Amino acid sequence: MSVLSDWCNENNMIVNLDKTALQSFSLMHQALRPEIKYRNVSLVTTDEFKYLGITFDNKLNWRAHVDSMVKRCSSRMTILKRLAGSLWGCARSTINNTYKAFILPLLTYCCEPLISASSQALDKLDVLQNQAMRLITGAVKSTPIDSMLLLTKNRSIKTIIEEKSIFLYEKLIRLGDPFWANYQIHTRNLKTQCGFIQKVFDILQDDQLHEDPQRIISP
């Protein structure tokens, strides 16, 4: 912390301790809570912290972030409900465009890390999307989800997350950074939770999409 303090002094910057917290990431049952001080002031220790709209939990299972997304998107679902009235309502294309403009971007904002989230957590996003599809199409609960997605030309949230994760992975390994370019997948003793690279690598192998990357050449 002394290095940070010296750097701030040299660059005339101040750390806002009211917006600063200490968070440790570990899969241990009891979270690590080291005491760290900045200029003789103890930093607040937290298990969850929101940064640029992303909620980080100490185990990186993304449940808190998914719950936050569902809560925010649920409040926007009232827009679709008002547009899709039972006695009157807008055209299906209007409701669908409203969903794509006001709800879908929030569901897929920085969704690449969610590739490592559990299926139970991602199911909450699918449930919310399915509700939107029923409002758009006017379908009953027994209507197959794939039919509604096909009719509205949408894709499932899990498919979008997998696609964006693969794009991010391919960008990282082509930037020339030795860490990403030479990253090796090792055998994991812990099978309950996989990381971002492991999940993407498994998808590439299952779909037989893996190939030798070519480095991006700067103009």
Side-chain angles (χ1 to χ4, degrees), residues 43 51 112:
L43 299 180
Y51 180 71
E112 292 86 352

Side-chain angles (χ1 to χ4, degrees), residues 11-185:
N11 294 274
N12 297 322
M13 298 188 67
I14 299 176
V15 175
N16 188 349
L17 296 180
D18 294 334
K19 297 183 179 180
T20 304
L22 173 63
Q23 183 177 11
S24 61
F25 300 96
S26 174
L27 295 178
M28 299 175 60
H29 294 290
Q30 294 183 352
L32 301 175
R33 297 184 179 276
E35 183 178 357
I36 297 180
K37 294 183 178 181
Y38 178 78
R39 295 182 177 178
N40 297 324
V41 178
S42 298
L43 299 180
V44 178
T45 304
T46 180
D47 293 333
E48 296 179 4
F49 191 79
K50 180 174 287 188
Y51 180 71
L52 296 178
I54 307 299
T55 303
F56 293 87
D57 58 89
N58 59 349
K59 296 184 182 299
L60 291 180
N61 53 33
W62 306 111
R63 294 175 184 173
H65 178 61
V66 170
D67 291 340
S68 176
M69 293 172 58
V70 171
K71 183 178 180 180
R72 295 178 61 188
C73 291
S74 297
S75 62
R76 298 191 179 189
M77 288 287 289
T78 55
I79 300 177
L80 297 186
K81 294 179 181 179
R82 293 180 179 180
L83 293 177
S86 58
L87 300 179
W88 69 276
C90 297
R92 179 185 300 166
S93 58
T94 302
I95 305 175
N96 193 23
N97 290 335
T98 303
Y99 163 75
K100 292 181 179 180
F102 291 96
I103 299 178
L104 185 60
L106 192 58
L107 282 174
T108 57
Y109 170 71
C110 196
C111 63
E112 292 86 352
L114 297 183
I115 191 67
S116 61
S118 64
S119 57
Q120 292 81 1
L122 296 180
D123 286 343
K124 297 179 181 180
L125 301 180
D126 283 335
V127 170
L128 189 65
Q129 186 190 42
N130 297 342
Q131 294 176 357
M133 293 300 102
R134 293 189 182 95
L135 290 173
I136 295 172
T137 60
V140 296
K141 291 185 177 181
S142 59
T143 305
I145 303 301
D146 292 338
S147 299
M148 293 189 293
L149 292 175
L150 181 62
L151 182 62
T152 58
K153 297 182 180 180
N154 284 292
R155 294 175 297 165
S156 67
I157 297 299
K158 292 181 180 179
T159 301
I160 296 176
I161 292 175
E162 290 182 357
E163 180 184 276
K164 288 181 174 291
S165 299
I166 293 175
F167 286 164
L168 177 59
Y169 172 77
E170 294 295 334
K171 289 180 181 179
L172 291 174
I173 62 178
R174 284 171 167 80
L175 291 178
D177 190 330
F179 176 82
W180 299 106
N182 302 323
Y183 189 88
Q184 299 292 329
I185 302 296

